[in-house]
Amino acid sequence: MNRRVLVVGAILVLPLVWVLGMGLGKDPKRIESPLVGKPAPAFELVDLAGNTVRLEDLAGKPALINFWSTWCVPCVYEHPVLVAAARRYRDRVQFIGVIYQDEPTTIRAYLARSGAWGPSLIDPTGRTAIAFGVYGVPETFILDRSGTITAKYDGALDPATVDALLAEVL
Amino acid sequence: MATRGVGLGLALLALLLTSAPALVAQDSAAVELDPRLGVPDDAPLSGPALEALTQEISSLIRCPVCQGLSVADSPTTSAVAMQDEVRRLLAAGYSGDQVLVYFETSYGEFIRLEPKAQGFNLVVWIAPFAFLLIGAALVAMRVRSSRAQLADNASRSAPRSASQSQEESQDVDHDPHNEPERDPSLEAYRQRVREEVKP
């Protein structure tokens, strides 16, 4: 009887342990984007200077698209990293910022203080953030020359991560 | 004065009427911007029907910045923007399924509050019933075996008279040979008890 209980218990419990064990190696904060390996969602947004930027305008050169806002603390930490990276990859990569739930006037004031690293596109309805599947800021998408998303990064970028992400598309 | 007021009102009305189609055109152009959406399956919706379906579909979409809340239940800016997007797509004639698939292509299956009943997800749908059945089967087995044991005990003691049984139950403490049902591994303890209670 005891042996039978043990066998039945093992049959019931082991699959559960296996399912839970599979998740142990994963970072619970990281959610894989289904967009990696797929063409980036089309967008047509206006930057702070009033210029229209479309996805197709980015074709031909790798791009780094960063969703950010001034109220997001990691974005503030990330900002100098992006300023430096934009300078370092000036002719090889296009750096595009998409403003997430923030006011253009606040962004203008912030950029005047901290420096800009690329055009900041206004996404008033949040539609572009939804199309890219943005959970929260900062989130960064790397696009290759053809406009395919090669990587998505959640959280504040550091210089080594920027280099590693861009190495794949250069 | 009154004529000027009416004139101003008419001018405003004319402005609204001329700008409304332009707004609609801009909106539909935005819908078509994303080729992942394809062609709408249904007719465009409006009014209470649109609101009802928006509420229904939004309640199936997970708010990305909340803990286990749907977009319909969350007042956050992200959830409101997502609900607006659901409303916009439904108004353009996209079906509820198309809207859910659209959100899924952007966010992954995590965005669905209810996992689809297919593939590995079937475990979530089937496991509760399977465990219930297994539990019921175990209880039934247990009940059956205790009933069988009771019946067996009853059949063994049935032919004997009540006085005999009473005698046996008195004797049983004194005569170890008269205890066939007892666990032999406990014999040492039983012996100790007998010695301790011996007058």
Side-chain angles (χ1 to χ4, degrees):
Chain A
M1 178 65 186
N2 283 346
R3 199 171 177 185
R4 203 166 63 186
V5 168
L6 199 70
V7 171
V8 172
I11 290 169
L12 293 177
V13 171
L14 284 179
L16 198 65
V17 171
W18 176 70
V19 169
L20 295 174
M22 279 201 316
L24 280 180
K26 290 183 183 167
D27 180 353
K29 287 180 190 164
R30 194 132 294 180
I31 300 161
E32 296 295 326
S33 171
L35 291 173
V36 173
K38 303 223 169 74
F43 62 83
E44 184 179 321
L45 298 172
V46 175
D47 70 8
L48 289 175
N51 305 310
T52 301
V53 178
R54 297 177 189 84
L55 173 71
E56 45 268 38
D57 299 338
L58 308 179
K61 203 192 262 189
L64 180 152
I65 300 179
N66 178 268
F67 288 82
W68 70 286
S69 68
T70 57
W71 48 259
C72 141
V73 177
C75 302
V76 173
Y77 282 115
E78 183 186 63
H79 195 82
V81 174
L82 283 167
V83 170
R87 206 172 293 146
R88 209 161 57 245
Y89 290 96
R90 193 173 42 227
D91 298 323
R92 293 177 290 160
V93 178
Q94 304 168 86
F95 281 72
I96 310 285
V98 181
I99 298 164
Y100 183 80
Q101 296 171 12
D102 209 341
E103 294 300 318
T105 46
T106 321
I107 294 282
R108 270 193 200 95
Y110 179 82
L111 292 177
R113 272 199 320 272
S114 313
W117 46 264
S120 292
L121 312 183
I122 306 157
D123 181 22
T125 55
R127 208 172 287 161
T128 303
I130 292 170
F132 274 80
V134 171
Y135 278 87
V137 280
E139 278 187 22
T140 305
F141 294 82
I142 307 294
L143 276 60
D144 68 9
R145 287 179 179 80
S146 66
T148 298
I149 295 175
T150 60
K152 179 198 174 187
Y153 189 81
D154 309 326
L157 291 163
D158 56 75
T161 306
V162 173
D163 291 345
L165 290 171
L166 291 179
E168 287 178 36
V169 289
L170 286 171
Chain B
M1 190 68 183
T3 325
R4 269 181 69 188
V6 170
L8 191 68
L10 280 173
L12 273 173
L13 188 67
L15 186 71
L16 258 176
L17 286 173
T18 49
S19 61
L23 283 174
V24 170
Q26 196 186 356
D27 216 29
S28 64
V31 165
E32 287 155 18
L33 197 63
D34 201 328
R36 292 178 300 169
L37 277 160
V39 181
D41 279 349
D42 294 343
L45 275 182
S46 61
L50 172 63
E51 271 320 301
L53 194 56
T54 300
Q55 197 65 21
E56 187 189 327
I57 299 301
S58 302
S59 69
L60 299 173
I61 298 173
R62 186 189 298 276
C63 161
V65 292
C66 317
Q67 296 286 332
L69 272 184
S70 79
V71 159
D73 295 328
S74 167
T76 61
T77 318
S78 300
V80 170
M82 286 169 91
Q83 194 164 2
D84 286 347
E85 183 68 346
V86 170
R87 186 179 293 107
R88 192 179 67 87
L89 295 173
L90 293 173
Y94 290 99
S95 67
D97 253 2
Q98 280 182 301
V99 174
L100 287 173
V101 168
Y102 174 65
F103 274 84
E104 199 180 337
T105 54
S106 297
Y107 288 91
E109 205 190 336
F110 180 77
I111 206 70
R112 286 180 185 258
L113 263 183
E114 277 182 17
K116 283 188 286 185
Q118 64 182 46
F120 187 70
N121 291 349
L122 280 174
V123 173
V124 181
W125 295 90
I126 294 170
F129 299 105
F131 279 112
L132 199 69
L133 279 176
I134 291 167
L138 283 174
V139 169
M141 272 165 64
R142 194 74 190 234
V143 166
R144 191 177 289 177
S145 77
S146 359
R147 265 192 197 154
Q149 207 170 356
L150 279 174
D152 191 36
N153 287 350
S155 70
R156 279 185 193 197
S157 57
R160 298 171 186 182
S161 69
S163 59
Q164 265 181 323
S165 300
Q166 204 176 357
E167 259 174 47
E168 275 175 17
S169 68
Q170 282 169 354
D171 286 351
V172 92
D173 290 339
H174 306 293
D175 186 2
H177 302 293
N178 215 0
E179 301 167 10
E181 295 291 319
R182 292 195 173 177
D183 188 343
S185 65
L186 298 175
E187 191 48 47
Y189 299 103
R190 218 173 281 130
Q191 191 62 37
R192 268 178 63 187
V193 171
R194 274 192 212 101
E195 278 166 16
E196 281 173 19
V197 298
K198 207 179 270 178

